[in-house]
Amino acid sequence: MDHSLHFLAPPAARPVETEPARARLLGRRDLPALMELEREKWTDVQAASEDQLRERIDAHPELAIGAFCTRTGRLLASLFMRPIADDFYRHVQTWDDCVSAPLPDQSSTLFGISLSSRNCEGVTALLNYFWPIALKRGWRHIYLGSPVPGLRDWRETHPERPIDDYVHATRRGMPLDPQLRYYRSRGFTKIVCAKPRYFPHERSLDYGAILRGTVPLSTLAPLWAALPESCVRRVTRALSSLL
Ligand SMILES: CC(C)(COP(=O)(O)OP(=O)(O)OC[C@H]1O[C@@H](n2cnc3c(N)ncnc32)[C@H](O)[C@@H]1OP(=O)(O)O)[C@@H](O)C(=O)NCCC(=O)NCCS
């Protein structure tokens, strides 16, 4: 059983009511705030357009989540996901391929289309919010394609070495790359592969690392399916302050 996804373990365990961020599903009314966050966190070539954000919400409204400041209502973080075939990473090359892959008839796998954040408490709130939903629905794995922003500099000093060496390189047990380190601390512990020409990202030389996180306790799928969602939510809330 994988207990490592960080949404089990917010940095300082505290009651949900006092968290500075609260997550909920996104709707079209959130588009202006989403666009503002998108422009802040992504370059012009990387950022989604308003139409693309609207399409993501319309296509999978149950997988479009935002975290908002409980005091000001400001959007702190957004997460868009979509279902994908369990073995999708064997057949895709680019982020576009992942986003446009045919929807599977049956799958327990999600692909993280995009995560944007201006506040780490927001990301914790997003993941904590989604955890019971994932258990109830039977989602087992979440994949995403991460930039590897340390790659360009590493390549300059290691021109002959294969890119895989960098992606899997560790220091004191943690990935060398800062963003892979970030995702490891959020529970995306499995580095599946590195894809060239994945997404425009200069410092990553356009590479993306496909990472996998396992939804904690998702091996008990029949139990979660049988329980009401309110009950699953109570269990995950209690566990997130313990682990
Ligand atoms: C990646 C992201 C979602 C993380 O948001 P967050 O949970 O609020 O966390 P922070 O941005 O504060 O980053 C946390 C730590 O991870 C590290 N990190 C994360 N992404 C990094 C990157 N691209 N380059 C260098 N360090 C990075 C930071 O060094 C930071 O460490 P610090 O606490 O010592 O400053 C956010 O930085 C973001 O929206 N980035 C731009 C878009 C992006 O890359 N999204 C993910 C695509 S898969």
Side-chain angles (χ1 to χ4, degrees):
M1 200 178 295
D2 183 353
H3 288 287
S4 59
L5 268 194
H6 195 250
F7 52 94
L8 273 179
R14 45 171 102 94
V16 167
E17 297 73 39
T18 60
E19 276 181 6
R22 185 168 296 134
R24 62 163 169 79
L25 296 182
L26 291 164
R28 286 184 172 203
R29 69 185 183 286
D30 300 309
L31 283 168
L34 286 164
M35 281 303 289
E36 195 198 327
L37 179 63
E38 196 73 14
R39 288 197 196 101
E40 182 182 308
K41 301 310 296 187
W42 300 95
T43 67
D44 287 352
V45 274
Q46 298 165 341
S49 66
E50 187 166 328
D51 284 349
Q52 287 170 321
L53 294 173
R54 187 183 300 106
E55 279 166 24
R56 288 179 197 171
I57 292 171
D58 290 351
H60 303 288
E62 75 291 5
L63 298 173
I65 308 167
F68 297 82
C69 175
T70 49
R71 214 164 30 82
T72 63
R74 188 176 191 229
L75 178 66
L76 301 179
S78 67
L79 173 65
F80 295 95
M81 295 174 285
R82 56 155 293 172
I84 201 157
D86 295 326
D87 63 347
F88 78 99
Y89 55 87
R90 296 183 202 282
H91 313 294
V92 297
Q93 182 59 49
T94 67
W95 176 85
D96 274 325
D97 296 342
C98 299
V99 171
S100 59
L103 286 173
D105 291 336
Q106 258 199 333
S107 165
S108 57
T109 300
L110 291 172
F111 176 73
I113 300 171
S114 148
L115 171 68
S116 309
S117 166
R118 52 166 69 112
N119 180 306
C120 63
E121 295 279 3
V123 175
T124 300
L126 287 180
L127 298 174
N128 280 338
Y129 174 82
F130 187 63
W131 185 19
I133 297 175
L135 291 179
K136 192 72 195 124
R137 166 59 182 75
W139 298 120
R140 172 113 177 88
H141 290 125
I142 304 174
Y143 287 80
L144 58 84
S146 172
V148 273
L151 179 60
R152 189 182 58 192
D153 288 353
W154 179 86
R155 190 64 161 163
E156 275 172 19
T157 46
H158 304 85
E160 307 300 332
R161 300 260 300 272
I163 300 294
D164 271 0
D165 283 6
Y166 176 72
V167 170
H168 291 284
T170 57
R171 190 190 296 137
R172 289 193 289 277
M174 290 297 276
L176 202 55
D177 184 83
Q179 198 148 355
L180 297 186
R181 212 157 49 232
Y182 168 79
Y183 276 121
R184 167 73 64 90
S185 74
R186 286 290 186 180
F188 289 84
T189 51
K190 173 82 178 162
I191 298 171
V192 179
C193 56
K195 300 270 185 195
R197 299 178 300 285
Y198 177 74
F199 187 78
H201 198 277
E202 233 180 302
R203 284 182 297 143
S204 308
L205 302 176
D206 295 347
Y207 272 78
I210 304 291
L211 310 180
R212 188 182 78 196
T214 302
V215 177
L217 305 178
S218 58
T219 43
L220 304 174
L223 170 68
W224 309 121
L227 289 173
E229 186 169 325
S230 57
C231 185
V232 181
R233 196 165 280 282
R234 273 203 299 279
V235 172
T236 54
R237 197 175 295 165
L239 285 175
S240 67
S241 60
L242 284 177
L243 296 177

